[in-house]
């Protein structure tokens, strides 16, 4: 019985079945593992907060998780925070945040979880339990 079923197919039918099977295997691979195969690279983003109360910066340390307050996108871990005084406002500080994150380099910026980040973009940076109104001043690719 099994031999009769096999002989009903000619060589073209078997080749077409092989092509269909390979296509289904490739599709399954793309769906399951293909998402991780993107051209993801590591970047350093530098954000500048022009003015925030000094108390807001307390408790923020390197390694803290950062995210975009508007889109909920993870913006990596804080690698460095530099504070400087603002002469006109003694209780306010200017903060420079540097984060390391994975993203995809595009023609005009870096995409992180389908959100495009460009130099000069303003966003709400969430670090620990604090929110800062910042702008993206620099993007550097780490090789």
């Amino acid at each position: 019985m099994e031999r009769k079923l096999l002989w009903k197919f000619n060589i073209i039918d078997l080749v077409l079945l092989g092509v269909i099977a390979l296509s289904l295997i490739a599709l399954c691979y793309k769906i399951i593992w293909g998402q991780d195969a993107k051209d993801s690279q590591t970047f350093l983003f530098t954000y500048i907060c022009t003015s925030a109360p000094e108390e807001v910066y307390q408790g923020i340390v390197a390694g803290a998780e950062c995210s975009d307050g508007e889109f909920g996108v993870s913006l990596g871990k804080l690698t460095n925070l530099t504070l400087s005084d603002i002469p006109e406002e003694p209780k306010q500080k200017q903060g420079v945040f540097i984060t390391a994150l994975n993203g995809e380099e595009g023609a005009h910026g870096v995409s992180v979880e389908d959100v495009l980040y460009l130099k000069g973009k303003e966003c709400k940076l969430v670090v620990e339990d604090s929110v800062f109104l910042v702008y993206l001043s620099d993007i550097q690719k780490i090789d």
Side-chain angles (χ1 to χ4, degrees), residues 89-101:
E89 302 175 35
K91 293 186 179 184
Q92 300 282 321
K93 296 276 186 186
Q94 179 181 12
V96 178
F97 300 87
I98 299 176
T99 63
L101 57 104

Side-chain angles (χ1 to χ4, degrees), residues 2-92:
E2 191 174 309
R3 189 169 192 209
K4 287 182 183 179
L5 182 64
L6 184 63
W7 288 111
K8 288 188 179 191
F9 292 106
N10 61 27
I11 191 74
I12 294 174
D13 293 333
L14 294 175
V15 169
L16 286 175
L17 286 174
V19 168
I20 291 171
L22 285 175
S23 299
L24 288 174
I25 291 170
L27 179 65
C28 290
Y29 175 80
K30 177 72 174 166
I31 290 172
I32 296 171
W33 294 286
Q35 300 298 330
D36 297 334
K38 290 183 179 177
D39 296 329
S40 183
Q41 299 171 332
T42 303
F43 294 91
L44 287 179
F45 279 17
T46 303
Y47 306 94
I48 296 181
C49 176
T50 56
S51 178
E54 188 174 356
E55 300 84 31
V56 178
Y57 293 105
Q58 292 177 354
I60 296 176
V61 295
E65 288 290 329
C66 301
S67 63
D68 187 332
E70 296 175 33
F71 297 104
V73 173
S74 173
L75 295 175
K77 294 188 183 270
L78 183 68
T79 59
N80 191 12
L81 171 62
T82 306
L83 299 177
S84 57
D85 294 326
I86 302 173
E88 303 85 30
E89 302 175 35
K91 293 186 179 184
Q92 300 282 321

Side-chain angles (χ1 to χ4, degrees), residues 118-130:
L118 306 166
K119 289 182 184 178
K121 179 179 179 165
E122 291 185 353
C123 66
K124 294 177 182 171
L125 182 67
V126 178
V127 184
E128 296 288 334
D129 58 350
S130 302

